[in-house]
């Protein structure tokens, strides 16, 4: 019952955030100087053509009605029509979202698999040389811009060592297309195509590493600080006095409570990952939603921009909702406080 109240409060809060996000992006989109219909048709279009497109897009109606149409479209999963591609925004996002999702999931995987163990090593050997090495690596990873690291990896691995491809998602004219989930690695396993899996992995590695570096550094630093705090608790000293094996003390009594702050940071990092993916996708010619979003912003394709922001917002809210629930499961104190607020 307590967990159900906690879940309902988090779901209601997520819905409020999405409503607020829809209002903010709609107001910003309408406040941008310039007529979207004129920008779509170009300077040579007649006033009648512009007026027809304004009527078609609903731009001739009062602002409140326009927002109502926008919300009604969202409720039916309709994000409008892109002025750039002249296709439904839903179709454009559906064709590109899977590539960005695969990149972000690979980024999170790398950040957790390498960041958490590095934090544990640094905390266990606090103020000794492994700790110093990890802190230098974490700071370097956190402060290096993703676009600079992307270019560096592209030059070293692609053009100097020739060990990994530098652009695209699969080799040109490769006989495979992800059709089930849109994720190359998953669909290649479903289709029993190990060659497609290996090729997809080779193309994914460089952009994922470039995007994961900053998050990995953050995870290592937060895990280190959290484990050092936990190690000073009385029950940790008591477990040492009772002769609990070292690996049990570290993995069971220290790592589990220490994982709450990194887990929370991981949810917040999703927003920055999608934002940083814009640049990384452009550098590696990755056919994702972030690159599509950049093109729509440059062309002031407002329907598409609002669609990309809303989909990113929904994705961010859902991930944070899952993270909140996981934190509530790991730490009962968070669950109790959340159900009473």
């Amino acid at each position: 019952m307590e967990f159900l109240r906690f879940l309902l409060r988090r779901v209601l809060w997520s819905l409020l955030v999405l409503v607020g996000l829809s209002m903010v992006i709609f107001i910003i989109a309408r406040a941008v100087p310039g007529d979207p219909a004129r920008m779509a048709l170009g300077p040579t279009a007649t006033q009648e053509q512009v007026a027809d497109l304004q009527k078609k897009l609903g731009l001739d109606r009062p602002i409140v009605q326009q927002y109502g149409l926008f919300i009604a479209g969202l409720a039916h999963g309709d994000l409008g029509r892109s002025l750039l591609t002249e296709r439904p925004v839903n179709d454009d996002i559906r064709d590109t979202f899977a590539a960005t999702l695969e990149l972000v999931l690979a980024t999170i995987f790398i950040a957790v698999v390498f960041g958490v163990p590095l934090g544990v090593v640094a905390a266990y050997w606090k103020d000794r040389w492994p700790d110093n090495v990890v802190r230098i690596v974490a700071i370097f990873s956190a402060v290096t811009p993703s676009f600079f690291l992307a270019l560096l990896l592209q030059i070293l691995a692609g053009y100097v060592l020739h060990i990994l491809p530098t652009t695209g998602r699969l080799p040109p004219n490769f006989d495979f297309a992800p059709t089930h989930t849109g994720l190359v690695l998953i669909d290649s396993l479903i289709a029993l195509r190990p060659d497609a899996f290996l090729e997809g992995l080779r193309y994914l590695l460089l952009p994922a590493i470039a995007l994961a570096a900053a998050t990995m550094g953050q995870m290592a630093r937060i895990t280190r600080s959290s484990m050092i705090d936990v190690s000073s608790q009385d029950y940790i000293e008591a477990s040492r006095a009772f002769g609990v094996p070292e690996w049990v003390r570290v993995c069971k009594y220290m790592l589990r409570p220490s994982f709450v702050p990194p887990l929370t940071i991981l949810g917040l990092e999703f927003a920055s990952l999608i934002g940083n993916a814009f640049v990384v996708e452009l550098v590696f010619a990755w056919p994702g939603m972030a690159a599509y979003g950049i093109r729509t912003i440059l062309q002031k394709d407002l329907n598409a921009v609002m669609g990309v922001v809303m989909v990113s917002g929904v994705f961010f809210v859902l991930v944070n909702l899952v993270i909140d629930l996981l934190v509530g499961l790991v730490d009962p104190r968070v669950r109790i406080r959340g159900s009473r607020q």
Side-chain angles (χ1 to χ4, degrees):
M1 194 62 186
E2 181 182 273
F3 184 78
L4 183 60
R5 284 201 299 269
F6 176 71
L7 173 63
L8 289 176
R9 286 181 181 277
R10 287 293 181 268
V11 170
L12 289 175
W13 180 249
S14 300
L15 290 175
L16 286 176
V17 170
L18 289 178
V19 171
L21 176 64
S22 70
M23 295 178 68
V24 169
I25 63 171
F26 182 81
I27 292 172
I28 292 175
R30 290 297 179 266
V32 171
D35 184 351
R38 169 62 69 182
M39 287 186 286
L41 295 173
T44 59
T46 64
Q47 189 57 40
E48 289 75 16
Q49 290 174 317
V50 173
D52 287 342
L53 186 56
Q54 286 178 334
K55 186 176 181 181
K56 186 178 178 181
L57 296 175
L59 298 175
D60 58 334
R61 303 187 184 191
I63 193 73
V64 176
Q65 286 189 19
Q66 291 184 39
Y67 180 69
L69 290 173
F70 176 60
I71 291 297
L74 285 179
H76 292 86
D78 181 9
L79 297 173
R81 199 169 190 83
S82 169
L83 303 178
L84 175 65
T85 63
E86 298 183 349
R87 300 175 61 204
V89 175
N90 299 45
D91 293 347
D92 288 340
I93 291 179
R94 184 187 60 208
D95 292 345
T96 55
F97 178 73
T100 294
L101 179 62
E102 186 166 43
L103 178 59
V104 170
L105 290 177
T107 299
I108 292 296
F109 179 80
I110 293 172
V112 172
V113 167
F114 290 95
V116 172
L118 284 176
V120 173
V121 168
Y124 190 77
W125 283 284
K126 180 188 172 188
D127 295 332
R128 297 169 66 180
W129 71 265
D131 181 25
N132 295 331
V133 171
V134 170
R135 281 194 288 178
I136 291 172
V137 171
I139 292 174
F140 178 78
S141 303
V143 301
T144 303
S146 57
F147 72 89
F148 176 76
L149 189 58
L151 291 173
L152 191 64
L153 290 173
Q154 199 174 45
I155 293 171
L156 288 177
Y159 299 118
V160 176
L161 301 175
H162 300 284
I163 55 176
L164 288 171
T166 57
T167 58
R169 200 178 178 200
L170 281 171
N173 303 319
F174 189 76
D175 182 25
F176 179 78
T179 54
H180 297 284
T181 64
L183 309 181
V184 171
L185 298 186
I186 300 297
D187 285 356
S188 59
L189 292 176
I190 294 174
L192 301 178
R193 288 284 304 273
D195 57 331
F197 180 86
L198 292 176
E199 286 297 336
L201 187 61
R202 290 179 67 244
Y203 276 77
L204 180 61
L205 273 179
L206 288 184
I209 292 172
L211 197 57
T215 306
M216 185 194 72
Q218 286 279 66
M219 293 291 290
R221 294 173 62 189
I222 297 295
T223 303
R224 175 187 178 274
S225 300
S226 185
M227 283 204 67
I228 290 174
D229 288 341
V230 172
S231 65
S232 63
Q233 300 294 319
D234 292 339
Y235 73 92
I236 297 296
E237 294 298 330
S239 67
R240 184 182 287 113
F242 278 104
V244 175
E246 194 70 4
W247 69 272
V248 174
R249 190 169 59 85
V250 172
C251 297
K252 184 176 181 180
Y253 297 118
M254 293 175 61
L255 185 57
R256 181 177 174 180
S258 301
F259 201 58
V260 173
L263 201 58
T264 306
I265 293 296
L266 196 61
L268 298 175
E269 280 292 308
F270 262 86
S272 61
L273 283 177
I274 294 175
N276 290 333
F278 280 74
V279 178
V280 173
E281 288 187 1
L282 285 178
V283 172
F284 289 99
W286 189 261
M289 186 181 70
Y292 169 71
I294 283 283
R295 293 198 302 274
T296 59
I297 290 172
L298 294 176
Q299 296 293 327
K300 296 185 178 178
D301 186 350
L302 298 183
N303 283 343
V305 171
M306 289 192 294
V308 169
V309 175
M310 276 308 300
V311 170
S312 301
V314 170
F315 185 62
F316 175 71
V317 167
L318 286 178
V319 168
N320 276 276
L321 177 61
V322 173
I323 294 292
D324 282 347
L325 297 180
L326 289 176
V327 170
L329 288 173
V330 172
D331 190 345
R333 295 170 300 175
V334 175
R335 186 168 66 242
I336 294 171
R337 284 199 302 268
S339 64
R340 291 177 178 174
Q341 285 176 353

